[in-house]
Amino acid sequence: MGCSRLDVGLLLLRLGAGGVLAAHGTQKLFGWFGGHGIEGTGQFMESIGYRPGKASATAAGLSETGGGALLALGLATPAAGAAAAGAMAGAAAVHMPAGFFAQSGGYEYAGFLGLTAAGLAITGPGRLSLDHALGHAVNRGWMVPTAFAVTAAATAAVIGMRTRRLREIAEAQALEEAEAAAQGGASDAT
């Protein structure tokens, strides 16, 4: 039985989304394509509340590079798509305060890549894939909910820790500002 339009469409979608994700991840891991590598990305991760920064940069880079490459190949599609979607959920959390559209710093791009990766994980890679060539040994039906459950739990924990850190930082800054204002008012009164 030959390949259908669906198979060709899935191949194109996998190659496009997987290639973009893999390239994006290699910026973090290796500094390729104008990226900052682990060191620079780790510093950035620290600055936006993902700590420890280097570990966060490594995890994000591996999820994007590995998930993207595996999606492009159509190999271990449930795990690859879930990992990439989880990384993009973490990125979307950073951009969420800026709204939806990417032109104003919003989560549009991360959200689109994450939903595309999730859709491919659920739909499957099609016949033009390594999963199909290998008899779907690492693309079984039970793997989809398992991959998403594990990824959702890890992503929720990481984003939750970041949210708590940012809240603690904001509260500490507000306290410092209040103390400075109180001291300024006390010195004005004398």
Side-chain angles (χ1 to χ4, degrees):
M1 184 180 265
C3 293
S4 68
R5 288 174 42 198
L6 175 63
D7 295 318
V8 174
L10 286 170
L11 172 65
L12 292 174
L13 191 57
R14 286 191 351 258
L15 289 173
V20 168
L21 284 160
H24 196 64
T26 61
Q27 289 180 307
K28 290 176 178 66
L29 293 177
F30 310 118
W32 295 355
F33 310 114
H36 300 286
I38 292 293
E39 195 67 39
T41 304
Q43 291 171 5
F44 174 71
M45 293 292 232
E46 286 271 345
S47 76
I48 59 173
Y50 285 116
R51 295 191 180 131
K54 276 186 170 181
S56 297
T58 301
L62 288 173
S63 294
E64 293 168 8
T65 303
L70 289 172
L71 277 176
L73 294 170
L75 180 62
T77 304
M88 291 299 99
V94 172
H95 295 280
M96 192 77 62
F100 177 71
F101 291 103
Q103 68 191 26
S104 55
Y107 64 93
E108 172 186 16
Y109 180 66
F112 178 76
L113 283 175
L115 286 172
T116 301
L120 287 167
I122 293 167
T123 303
R127 290 183 182 185
L128 300 173
S129 66
L130 287 179
D131 275 337
H132 181 74
L134 298 173
H136 296 280
V138 287
N139 180 33
R140 304 279 185 212
W142 63 268
M143 293 176 180
V144 174
T146 303
F148 277 103
V150 170
T151 300
T155 302
V158 169
I159 293 172
M161 287 187 291
R162 175 185 179 264
T163 301
R164 281 190 295 282
R165 280 188 203 104
L166 293 177
R167 189 178 320 115
E168 290 167 1
I169 290 168
E171 289 169 359
Q173 288 173 342
L175 183 59
E176 285 177 19
E177 290 171 8
E179 289 173 354
Q183 288 176 353
S187 66
D188 290 342
T190 56

mmCIF file of all heavy atoms in Angstrom, residues 143-165:
data_model
loop_
_atom_site.group_PDB
_atom_site.id
_atom_site.type_symbol
_atom_site.label_atom_id
_atom_site.label_comp_id
_atom_site.label_asym_id
_atom_site.label_seq_id
_atom_site.Cartn_x
_atom_site.Cartn_y
_atom_site.Cartn_z
ATOM 1 N N MET A 143 1.738 4.747 24.811
ATOM 2 C CA MET A 143 2.849 5.668 25.033
ATOM 3 C C MET A 143 2.409 7.129 24.976
ATOM 4 O O MET A 143 3.032 7.986 25.598
ATOM 5 C CB MET A 143 3.966 5.418 24.023
ATOM 6 C CG MET A 143 4.639 4.080 24.214
ATOM 7 S SD MET A 143 5.856 3.804 22.907
ATOM 8 C CE MET A 143 6.456 2.187 23.379
ATOM 9 N N VAL A 144 1.345 7.416 24.247
ATOM 10 C CA VAL A 144 0.878 8.800 24.122
ATOM 11 C C VAL A 144 0.422 9.346 25.478
ATOM 12 O O VAL A 144 0.960 10.350 25.948
ATOM 13 C CB VAL A 144 -0.220 8.934 23.042
ATOM 14 C CG1 VAL A 144 -0.803 10.336 23.021
ATOM 15 C CG2 VAL A 144 0.337 8.558 21.672
ATOM 16 N N PRO A 145 -0.552 8.719 26.155
ATOM 17 C CA PRO A 145 -0.956 9.277 27.452
ATOM 18 C C PRO A 145 0.164 9.219 28.496
ATOM 19 O O PRO A 145 0.283 10.116 29.338
ATOM 20 C CB PRO A 145 -2.159 8.434 27.873
ATOM 21 C CG PRO A 145 -2.110 7.204 27.034
ATOM 22 C CD PRO A 145 -1.383 7.560 25.783
ATOM 23 N N THR A 146 0.992 8.192 28.419
ATOM 24 C CA THR A 146 2.106 8.089 29.371
ATOM 25 C C THR A 146 3.087 9.235 29.172
ATOM 26 O O THR A 146 3.500 9.893 30.132
ATOM 27 C CB THR A 146 2.823 6.731 29.220
ATOM 28 O OG1 THR A 146 1.871 5.681 29.406
ATOM 29 C CG2 THR A 146 3.966 6.601 30.205
ATOM 30 N N ALA A 147 3.480 9.491 27.929
ATOM 31 C CA ALA A 147 4.430 10.573 27.634
ATOM 32 C C ALA A 147 3.864 11.923 28.049
ATOM 33 O O ALA A 147 4.577 12.748 28.646
ATOM 34 C CB ALA A 147 4.775 10.577 26.143
ATOM 35 N N PHE A 148 2.590 12.150 27.777
ATOM 36 C CA PHE A 148 1.987 13.434 28.155
ATOM 37 C C PHE A 148 1.811 13.562 29.664
ATOM 38 O O PHE A 148 1.983 14.648 30.215
ATOM 39 C CB PHE A 148 0.662 13.661 27.417
ATOM 40 C CG PHE A 148 0.856 14.216 26.043
ATOM 41 C CD1 PHE A 148 0.731 13.408 24.932
ATOM 42 C CD2 PHE A 148 1.205 15.541 25.853
ATOM 43 C CE1 PHE A 148 0.934 13.904 23.656
ATOM 44 C CE2 PHE A 148 1.415 16.059 24.582
ATOM 45 C CZ PHE A 148 1.272 15.236 23.479
ATOM 46 N N ALA A 149 1.493 12.476 30.343
ATOM 47 C CA ALA A 149 1.349 12.540 31.805
ATOM 48 C C ALA A 149 2.685 12.874 32.467
ATOM 49 O O ALA A 149 2.757 13.742 33.350
ATOM 50 C CB ALA A 149 0.804 11.220 32.345
ATOM 51 N N VAL A 150 3.739 12.197 32.050
ATOM 52 C CA VAL A 150 5.068 12.455 32.622
ATOM 53 C C VAL A 150 5.507 13.880 32.311
ATOM 54 O O VAL A 150 5.980 14.612 33.182
ATOM 55 C CB VAL A 150 6.097 11.421 32.106
ATOM 56 C CG1 VAL A 150 7.516 11.814 32.485
ATOM 57 C CG2 VAL A 150 5.757 10.029 32.639
ATOM 58 N N THR A 151 5.353 14.289 31.058
ATOM 59 C CA THR A 151 5.761 15.638 30.655
ATOM 60 C C THR A 151 4.927 16.695 31.362
ATOM 61 O O THR A 151 5.470 17.716 31.815
ATOM 62 C CB THR A 151 5.646 15.803 29.132
ATOM 63 O OG1 THR A 151 6.504 14.837 28.509
ATOM 64 C CG2 THR A 151 6.050 17.185 28.687
ATOM 65 N N ALA A 152 3.638 16.485 31.478
ATOM 66 C CA ALA A 152 2.776 17.466 32.153
ATOM 67 C C ALA A 152 3.168 17.616 33.620
ATOM 68 O O ALA A 152 3.227 18.748 34.137
ATOM 69 C CB ALA A 152 1.308 17.054 32.029
ATOM 70 N N ALA A 153 3.452 16.517 34.285
ATOM 71 C CA ALA A 153 3.847 16.591 35.694
ATOM 72 C C ALA A 153 5.167 17.335 35.856
ATOM 73 O O ALA A 153 5.298 18.227 36.706
ATOM 74 C CB ALA A 153 3.959 15.181 36.281
ATOM 75 N N ALA A 154 6.146 17.012 35.017
ATOM 76 C CA ALA A 154 7.453 17.682 35.104
ATOM 77 C C ALA A 154 7.330 19.153 34.745
ATOM 78 O O ALA A 154 7.890 20.017 35.436
ATOM 79 C CB ALA A 154 8.456 16.990 34.185
ATOM 80 N N THR A 155 6.591 19.462 33.693
ATOM 81 C CA THR A 155 6.429 20.849 33.261
ATOM 82 C C THR A 155 5.697 21.664 34.313
ATOM 83 O O THR A 155 6.094 22.793 34.615
ATOM 84 C CB THR A 155 5.686 20.904 31.910
ATOM 85 O OG1 THR A 155 6.430 20.144 30.951
ATOM 86 C CG2 THR A 155 5.525 22.321 31.417
ATOM 87 N N ALA A 156 4.644 21.101 34.892
ATOM 88 C CA ALA A 156 3.907 21.813 35.931
ATOM 89 C C ALA A 156 4.791 22.089 37.151
ATOM 90 O O ALA A 156 4.740 23.178 37.735
ATOM 91 C CB ALA A 156 2.672 21.012 36.348
ATOM 92 N N ALA A 157 5.622 21.129 37.509
ATOM 93 C CA ALA A 157 6.525 21.327 38.652
ATOM 94 C C ALA A 157 7.538 22.428 38.366
ATOM 95 O O ALA A 157 7.769 23.310 39.200
ATOM 96 C CB ALA A 157 7.243 20.019 38.994
ATOM 97 N N VAL A 158 8.133 22.407 37.190
ATOM 98 C CA VAL A 158 9.156 23.401 36.834
ATOM 99 C C VAL A 158 8.541 24.798 36.742
ATOM 100 O O VAL A 158 9.080 25.765 37.295
ATOM 101 C CB VAL A 158 9.863 23.009 35.515
ATOM 102 C CG1 VAL A 158 10.716 24.134 34.984
ATOM 103 C CG2 VAL A 158 10.699 21.759 35.731
ATOM 104 N N ILE A 159 7.423 24.925 36.054
ATOM 105 C CA ILE A 159 6.771 26.230 35.930
ATOM 106 C C ILE A 159 6.271 26.706 37.294
ATOM 107 O O ILE A 159 6.366 27.894 37.625
ATOM 108 C CB ILE A 159 5.641 26.191 34.883
ATOM 109 C CG1 ILE A 159 6.227 25.978 33.490
ATOM 110 C CG2 ILE A 159 4.811 27.467 34.922
ATOM 111 C CD1 ILE A 159 5.198 25.743 32.396
ATOM 112 N N GLY A 160 5.761 25.780 38.099
ATOM 113 C CA GLY A 160 5.309 26.144 39.454
ATOM 114 C C GLY A 160 6.435 26.681 40.315
ATOM 115 O O GLY A 160 6.271 27.679 41.035
ATOM 116 N N MET A 161 7.605 26.027 40.262
ATOM 117 C CA MET A 161 8.761 26.518 41.025
ATOM 118 C C MET A 161 9.185 27.904 40.537
ATOM 119 O O MET A 161 9.508 28.782 41.337
ATOM 120 C CB MET A 161 9.931 25.538 40.930
ATOM 121 C CG MET A 161 9.720 24.275 41.745
ATOM 122 S SD MET A 161 11.180 23.206 41.798
ATOM 123 C CE MET A 161 11.272 22.614 40.127
ATOM 124 N N ARG A 162 9.182 28.102 39.233
ATOM 125 C CA ARG A 162 9.536 29.414 38.681
ATOM 126 C C ARG A 162 8.547 30.475 39.151
ATOM 127 O O ARG A 162 8.942 31.566 39.555
ATOM 128 C CB ARG A 162 9.543 29.359 37.149
ATOM 129 C CG ARG A 162 9.782 30.717 36.527
ATOM 130 C CD ARG A 162 9.669 30.684 34.998
ATOM 131 N NE ARG A 162 9.888 32.005 34.476
ATOM 132 C CZ ARG A 162 8.907 32.851 34.165
ATOM 133 N NH1 ARG A 162 7.638 32.504 34.301
ATOM 134 N NH2 ARG A 162 9.193 34.051 33.681
ATOM 135 N N THR A 163 7.277 30.169 39.107
ATOM 136 C CA THR A 163 6.252 31.120 39.530
ATOM 137 C C THR A 163 6.436 31.504 40.999
ATOM 138 O O THR A 163 6.336 32.686 41.353
ATOM 139 C CB THR A 163 4.850 30.531 39.290
ATOM 140 O OG1 THR A 163 4.718 30.234 37.892
ATOM 141 C CG2 THR A 163 3.755 31.482 39.725
ATOM 142 N N ARG A 164 6.722 30.515 41.856
ATOM 143 C CA ARG A 164 6.965 30.805 43.277
ATOM 144 C C ARG A 164 8.193 31.697 43.450
ATOM 145 O O ARG A 164 8.177 32.642 44.245
ATOM 146 C CB ARG A 164 7.118 29.511 44.078
ATOM 147 C CG ARG A 164 5.789 28.842 44.409
ATOM 148 C CD ARG A 164 5.943 27.702 45.406
ATOM 149 N NE ARG A 164 6.724 26.590 44.890
ATOM 150 C CZ ARG A 164 6.275 25.670 44.058
ATOM 151 N NH1 ARG A 164 5.034 25.733 43.612
ATOM 152 N NH2 ARG A 164 7.054 24.685 43.653
ATOM 153 N N ARG A 165 9.266 31.400 42.711
ATOM 154 C CA ARG A 165 10.483 32.224 42.800
ATOM 155 C C ARG A 165 10.199 33.655 42.391
ATOM 156 O O ARG A 165 10.640 34.597 43.052
ATOM 157 C CB ARG A 165 11.585 31.645 41.899
ATOM 158 C CG ARG A 165 12.304 30.499 42.507
ATOM 159 C CD ARG A 165 13.512 30.097 41.635
ATOM 160 N NE ARG A 165 13.836 28.719 41.916
ATOM 161 C CZ ARG A 165 13.555 27.697 41.132
ATOM 162 N NH1 ARG A 165 12.990 27.888 39.973
ATOM 163 N NH2 ARG A 165 13.870 26.480 41.488
#
